[in-house]
Amino acid sequence: MDNNMPLIDGKSIDVLFSEQDIAKRNRIIATEIAAKKPQNLLVLPILKGSFIFAADLIRELHRAGVTSTVEFIAISSYGAGQESGEIRLLHDFDSDITGRDILLIDDILESGKTLKFVRDLLKTRGAGRIFIAALLDKAMRRQADIEADFVGFSCPDQFVVGYGMDAGHAFRQLPFVGVIHK
Ligand code: IMP
Ligand code: MG
């Protein structure tokens, strides 16, 4: 093990996407979203994993001239181990979204079950355009018919932590995305 690597909760984390890399991508994604000229935009992060990405992205959107309001939705998916399974809605919001443009934000698009569940729910509530931003895309894991409109990085097929994402509730606070060092 590299002795210079700091231990966090007794583990060392290999950096996959640095704080600087993420900040650059966020700025570009915000510009891409601004180009869609969203109207009466509602930003909707899916908790918990996307909270840091969403906090950074909404401020980049502000710099790109996009105003928005924010609601949160919390989802859990129960499956075997780290696989995504049955989707449950843990926290909902009650504002009227009829005709509104929505930016749905998640940390990782993997099987796609989570984002498809939420997108379908928003459609039944009469949302206008629904845009999806995912920090990471594990395209090789896709099961549902869904893609993100805006992606930070395509992600290798590894379990990642940091920048909001956890392993057993730990590591969300890391300012970068990394992989637990074996
Ligand atoms: P899916 O697209 O429904 O399969 O699930 C995506 C969700 O699973 C994400 O919102 C994450 O919360 C979680 N997830 C998937 N891969 C990882 C990972 O590598 N680290 C942490 N959470 C992950
Ligand atoms: Mg999640």
Side-chain angles (χ1 to χ4, degrees):
M1 193 202 295
D2 176 0
N3 290 326
N4 295 319
M5 207 181 279
L7 291 181
I8 301 141
D9 290 346
K11 310 254 191 217
S12 57
I13 312 289
D14 295 323
V15 177
L16 192 57
F17 302 112
S18 72
E19 196 172 352
Q20 292 76 12
D21 291 344
I22 295 170
K24 272 187 216 153
R25 283 300 298 154
N26 286 348
R27 188 151 294 189
I28 293 166
I29 290 172
T31 310
E32 292 172 357
I33 295 169
K36 301 284 183 188
K37 304 211 176 310
Q39 298 300 312
N40 193 15
L41 182 66
L42 173 67
V43 170
L44 188 63
I46 301 177
L47 296 176
K48 300 175 187 168
S50 73
F51 78 109
I52 293 180
F53 176 43
D56 284 344
L57 189 57
I58 196 170
R59 285 175 288 182
E60 287 300 343
L61 284 169
H62 162 74
R63 291 187 188 104
V66 177
T67 55
S68 56
T69 62
V70 190
E71 294 279 6
F72 296 95
I73 197 162
I75 295 290
S76 80
S77 68
Y78 290 102
Q82 294 174 341
E83 298 286 312
S84 163
E86 188 200 337
I87 307 296
R88 280 182 47 200
L89 184 55
L90 300 181
H91 169 81
D92 203 354
F93 65 97
D94 59 10
S95 48
D96 183 5
I97 58 167
T98 311
R100 289 189 71 175
D101 284 349
I102 301 198
L103 179 65
L104 198 48
I105 302 183
D106 208 357
D107 51 357
I108 305 191
L109 172 54
E110 197 171 286
S111 75
K113 289 180 191 171
T114 305
L115 275 163
K116 186 171 188 310
F117 175 92
V118 180
R119 187 188 61 183
D120 290 350
L121 182 70
L122 300 175
K123 281 186 185 167
T124 66
R125 294 181 183 175
R129 294 182 295 173
I130 302 170
F131 301 110
I132 296 175
L135 177 71
L136 303 178
D137 184 8
K138 289 188 189 173
M140 72 296 283
R141 290 266 172 174
R142 199 81 80 252
Q143 294 176 36
D145 182 19
I146 191 159
E147 293 301 331
D149 302 285
F150 310 99
V151 170
F153 304 92
S154 89
C155 186
D157 192 10
Q158 282 175 294
F159 194 80
V160 298
V161 296
Y163 199 64
M165 292 172 283
D166 73 307
H169 305 291
F171 308 117
R172 291 194 198 273
Q173 75 278 13
L174 303 179
F176 55 85
V177 173
V179 177
I180 299 169
H181 194 82
K182 294 268 188 303

